[in-house]
């Protein structure tokens, strides 16, 4: 995750860290926390660039690009 988000053209400059919070071998589930540092920004930035769907889609795109 660190490599994916730190190299992202859209979010790389804001990305600070990724940490695994919980991991389950039984269900292959990982819960992680992403930390971004965002300076005061123009209206709409948080709603668009820091939108959870947008952040998930960056990870999805990286997975698709590897295939």
């Amino acid at each position: 995750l660190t490599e994916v988000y730190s190299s992202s053209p859209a979010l790389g400059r804001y990305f600070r860290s990724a940490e695994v919070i919980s991991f389950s071998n039984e269900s292959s589930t990982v819960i992680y926390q992403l930390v971004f540092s965002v300076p005061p920004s123009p209206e709409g930035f948080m709603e668009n660039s820091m939108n959870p769907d947008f952040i998930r889609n960056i990870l999805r795109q990286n997975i698709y690009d590897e295939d």
Side-chain angles (χ1 to χ4, degrees), residues 38-53:
V38 181
S41 56
E43 187 175 321
F45 177 81
M46 291 301 291
E47 293 80 12
N48 297 316
S49 294
M50 292 290 117
N51 178 300
D53 290 330

Side-chain angles (χ1 to χ4, degrees), residues 7-58:
S7 65
S8 165
L11 297 176
R13 65 180 160 226
Y14 307 113
F15 178 75
R16 296 297 171 251
S17 65
E19 179 182 353
V20 173
I21 304 298
S22 175
F23 181 81
S24 170
N25 284 326
E26 293 176 16
S27 65
S28 298
T29 301
V30 177
I31 298 173
Y32 56 89
Q33 178 179 16
L34 300 174
V35 177
F36 296 91
S37 177
V38 181
S41 56
E43 187 175 321
F45 177 81
M46 291 301 291
E47 293 80 12
N48 297 316
S49 294
M50 292 290 117
N51 178 300
D53 290 330
F54 181 77
I55 293 170
R56 272 190 297 273
N57 287 336
I58 288 177

Side-chain angles (χ1 to χ4, degrees), residues 3-4 59-67:
E3 185 177 325
V4 170
L59 179 58
R60 283 187 186 126
Q61 185 62 50
N62 182 268
I63 291 168
Y64 296 146
D65 289 348
E66 287 184 4
D67 289 340

